Amino acid sequence: MDRDEELLRGRVYGQDHDNPHPGPRPGQEYVELVGGPLDGLLLDVTGWTADETAAGVVLQTELGRFGAGGRTVYDPRPGDPRRFDWSGDTP
């Protein structure tokens, strides 16, 4: 595992890697991102509606196929709402 992957493990998407407490916080709701460039990160979905969760997400990342400014797409896993599976990258 390279250093970038190591830094991502157990972290919440959007938290700075220098944050002394980059992990999940009590009282928040998270889904796990599975596969792709953000594999293993948690996404805070606190307050999301069922429709918002069902739509999946497009997240900014420098680690995807398109580098800086690129985005990566995650969709909810059928039958397992606590996981979003990677479906590809987009510019």
Side-chain angles (χ1 to χ4, degrees), residues 1 23 47 64 69 79 83-84 87:
M1 175 182 328
R83 290 186 173 79
F84 279 17
S87 60

Side-chain angles (χ1 to χ4, degrees), residues 5-6 10 12-13 21 31 36-37 39 45 52-53 55 58 71 77:
E5 287 180 25
E6 184 179 310
V12 175
Y13 174 81
H21 305 289
V31 297
D39 184 47
V45 295
E52 289 171 325
T53 303
V58 178
R71 291 167 170 56
R77 182 180 290 181

Side-chain angles (χ1 to χ4, degrees), residues 9-59:
R9 300 285 173 208
R11 284 192 32 232
V12 175
Y13 174 81
Q15 292 291 324
D16 189 86
H17 70 272
D18 291 334
N19 183 336
H21 305 289
R25 297 179 184 207
Q28 301 297 102
E29 185 178 345
Y30 299 93
V31 297
E32 179 184 359
L33 302 175
V34 180
L38 302 178
D39 184 47
L41 281 179
L42 301 174
L43 178 66
D44 187 344
V45 295
T46 305
W48 287 28
T49 67
D51 287 342
E52 289 171 325
T53 303
V57 294
V58 178
L59 302 169

